Amino acid sequence: MASSFGSRLEDSVKKTVAGNPVVVYSKTWCSYSSEVKTLFKKLGEEPLVIELDELGPQGPQLQKVLERLTGQHTVPNVFIDTLKLYRKGELEHLLSKANAKSSQA
């Protein structure tokens, strides 16, 4: 039964990530998560934010699924659909605003 529940959660994560250009799995008290959410706000992006510590017992289960999918057991766990952003012509702009783009481009 638990594996069925885990695979349902995994499917839910995959659907959530596929359906949104930017998804942040976070915890309200985590300073790293706060920094990431502030950064996106500064960039004018409104990611879908899922606060694991506000989901009750499902939060830790979801975090285990994220760890299984990504190998990362901490938050923030950020998913960005880079291809979708590129096709919409937004990726370079976002990278430029974040100073991540090389000045030798």
Side-chain angles (χ1 to χ4, degrees):
M1 197 101 162
S3 65
S4 165
F5 181 72
S7 66
R8 280 200 315 268
L9 272 180
E10 190 172 315
D11 289 345
S12 172
V13 167
K14 289 177 180 177
K15 278 183 191 167
T16 299
V17 169
N20 296 278
V22 182
V23 180
V24 178
Y25 289 90
S26 170
K27 290 185 179 176
T28 56
W29 50 263
C30 173
S31 62
Y32 295 113
S33 294
S34 293
E35 284 183 57
V36 165
K37 291 181 284 190
T38 299
L39 172 64
F40 280 119
K41 192 176 209 174
K42 218 159 98 174
L43 292 173
E45 268 303 301
E46 289 189 37
L48 172 62
V49 176
I50 299 169
E51 300 291 3
L52 296 174
D53 59 322
E54 293 182 342
L55 297 178
Q58 190 178 12
Q61 294 164 340
L62 194 51
Q63 191 163 359
K64 283 183 181 147
V65 167
L66 289 167
E67 182 177 3
R68 194 167 61 237
L69 291 171
T70 68
Q72 176 180 316
H73 68 276
T74 58
V75 291
N77 213 317
V78 181
F79 296 86
I80 300 176
D81 187 339
T82 51
L83 289 176
K84 185 184 278 184
L85 289 172
Y86 176 73
R87 288 183 192 119
K88 287 171 57 181
E90 296 175 9
L91 181 61
E92 287 183 353
H93 179 68
L94 286 173
L95 292 174
S96 162
K97 283 178 85 172
N99 289 326
K101 188 173 179 181
S102 168
S103 59
Q104 301 174 344

